[in-house]
Amino acid sequence: EYIRSYYFNKMEVIRFSSSVGKYVGFTELGVKNAEAWNNIPSELSRMRAQKETYCVNHVQNKYAAVLTKS
């Protein structure tokens, strides 16, 4: 799962989660931004592609590293 969170004053304002597939807001401003960002198809596609870039392509390497240390 890929999660990208945005914080302000140590409080989580907005989060993109690959399991949900969209932005979720936690404050009034975060909800407004989430609605705006969720209405931009290219932004959602870009964030969904981040899972492939960071997670899927590297999971085998990380998994192998953990197994060799245990």
Side-chain angles (χ1 to χ4, degrees), residues 11 16 18 21 32 58-62 68:
M11 182 185 302
F16 177 85
S18 64
K32 289 179 183 179
H58 296 95
V59 73
Q60 187 65 6
N61 295 336
K62 301 292 184 186
T68 59

Side-chain angles (χ1 to χ4, degrees), residues 4 6 16 21 23 33 36-50:
R4 184 168 189 172
Y6 298 89
F16 177 85
Y23 287 97
N33 283 330
W37 294 351
N38 287 333
N39 287 325
I40 304 171
S42 62
E43 175 66 18
L44 291 177
S45 296
R46 184 179 69 85
M47 292 305 292
R48 290 176 183 146
Q50 295 295 314

Side-chain angles (χ1 to χ4, degrees), residues 14-31:
I14 192 168
R15 173 191 303 167
F16 177 85
S17 175
S18 64
S19 63
V20 177
K22 64 179 185 174
Y23 287 97
V24 178
F26 297 102
T27 64
E28 184 179 344
L29 179 61
V31 170

